[in-house]
Amino acid sequence: MNSRRFHLITGAAAAAALAFGMHHAHAQADTLKIGVILPMTGQQASTGKQIDAAIKLWMAQNGNKAGGKTVEVIVKDDAGIPDTTRRLAQELVVNDKVVALAGFGITPSALATAPIATQSKTPMVVMAAATSAITAASPYVVRTSFTLPQAAVGLAEWATKNKIGKVVTLVADYGPGNDAEKYFAERMTLNGGKVLDKLRTPLRSPDFAPVLQKVRDAAPDALFVFLPSGQGAQFMKQFGERGLDKAGIRLIATGDVTDDDQLNDMGDVALGVVSSHHYSAAHDSPANKKFVAAFEAANKFRPNFMAVGGYDGMRVIYNALNASKGARGEALLNAMKGQLFESPRGPVLIDAQTRDIVQDIYIRKVEKKNGQLWNIEFDSIKQMKDPGKSK
Ligand code: PHB
């Protein structure tokens, strides 16, 4: 091909592309899109259902304007499959030009997406996943959920004070389970306790029968459990059916197990279970009562800790869009850092250095009130940073 003619053609094409691009940029300048990726189907579907409902509540209460522009939320279903999460994130960044990515029901989904956030300089708000290391996977990650080290350390302290000396741990065999096991066991050992066995079940389709038999045989004072949201009811049923409660083995857990999404259907086997977490639907504050009432009016179910992570995630994005007057990229990210606000869970800080959440961790006990089961908070550790960051 004649090289001069080639230049003319490419020159014209470039001019056309530029014109189209400018037009395109102008058309989207008034709309800020937020790309939310959630497990709406599959094993983690309760997380998707809860966060989606919380985002809709946030929008209903706060409108679709932020940073002087119109906000549009695009929700995509990854079914909890990390390869799908990554593909959807890529499409949302490239095709939809989202200002922020959000959601992420499980740790592998968040980790699969982190490189895309880094490369495209897109803030990524983790509303659910809770492995400590996620915030280190990209400087664009900001977290509004919690970390398993936060939940586990407080419970170990409570166990020691309550004469629980010998324990067995049982966790889901992946990131957050590793964190829960490590931080609970380390703190128990530090406090003079003994960890008799460390058991694990797979993330997908776990069978609790064999591990519960092992727990029975080991006869600890207590069994410590972390399972991801959605598995608590099935576990609790088998714990009761195998008579572990009657054998005098105390069940203690992170609040993922006594999940408000399922707690009310667990029955009396859940009564008295002590857990630690950042949110209970029974949290006694005016802000939470308002949140729960509005959530229950809009949905036929109670908000759980995932809903609060989603609601606060939207708050962090809105606050940042407003403070930065609708900025993108690093300017939007910087406006997310250091935010301090009252969440339905209590006071919250987005640590500017780590981009992780600093929050109160509560010790709770399952009690029946007015015929319903609730996680009733009876103690707390104030403004806990992620213990996983200090190592
Ligand atoms: C996670 O995969 O990080 C995860 C999922 C559900 C939970 C906690 C952590 O309840």
Side-chain angles (χ1 to χ4, degrees), residues 136-276:
S138 167
Y140 279 83
V141 168
V142 170
R143 175 155 37 204
T144 59
S145 52
F146 73 109
T147 77
L148 265 306
Q150 277 179 332
V153 165
L155 191 61
E157 290 295 335
W158 176 87
T160 304
K161 279 187 220 132
N162 287 272
K163 302 192 171 49
I164 291 173
K166 289 180 294 174
V167 295
V168 170
T169 60
L170 167 59
V171 301
D173 192 10
Y174 76 122
N178 298 345
D179 276 0
E181 179 190 274
K182 177 169 187 270
Y183 283 84
F184 182 81
E186 270 184 14
R187 187 57 65 101
M188 285 302 293
T189 311
L190 185 77
N191 290 349
K194 216 169 151 132
V195 182
L196 304 177
D197 206 353
K198 295 176 177 177
L199 305 169
R200 294 186 174 203
T201 45
L203 170 60
R204 317 264 175 209
S205 312
D207 176 7
F208 301 117
V211 286
L212 286 174
Q213 189 54 50
K214 283 193 184 167
V215 175
R216 228 200 139 108
D217 295 344
D221 299 328
L223 170 63
F224 164 79
V225 183
F226 160 76
L227 294 168
S229 184
Q231 294 187 6
Q234 191 205 339
F235 169 79
M236 203 66 88
K237 187 162 171 277
Q238 294 206 19
F239 186 84
E241 277 170 8
R242 301 195 162 257
L244 271 82
D245 49 343
K246 302 201 174 57
I249 298 169
R250 225 169 148 173
L251 178 60
I252 58 177
T254 64
D256 311 74
V257 177
T258 56
D259 186 342
D260 272 299
D261 193 67
Q262 300 184 323
L263 179 62
N264 217 9
D265 302 320
M266 287 183 191
D268 287 355
V269 63
L271 282 174
V273 172
V274 170
S275 64
S276 58

Side-chain angles (χ1 to χ4, degrees), residues 44 47 105-108 128-131 134 146 148 174 176 226-229 256 305-306:
Q44 263 69 43
T47 296
I106 53 170
T107 290
T131 300
I134 292 170
F146 73 109
L148 265 306
Y174 76 122
F226 160 76
L227 294 168
S229 184
D256 311 74
F305 62 100
M306 293 299 188

Side-chain angles (χ1 to χ4, degrees), residues 108-130:
S109 289
L111 293 177
T113 305
I116 294 172
T118 306
Q119 284 153 23
S120 66
K121 301 193 191 309
T122 307
M124 171 177 160
V125 179
V126 175
M127 296 170 157

Side-chain angles (χ1 to χ4, degrees), residues 28 109 123 150 278 285:
Q28 73 171 34
S109 289
Q150 277 179 332
H278 55 294
S285 76

Side-chain angles (χ1 to χ4, degrees), residues 336-339 349-358 385:
M336 293 180 179
K337 296 177 183 175
Q339 285 188 29
L349 165 72
I350 305 297
D351 187 315
Q353 263 68 53
T354 63
R355 293 160 279 103
D356 218 332
I357 191 161
V358 180
K385 289 190 173 198

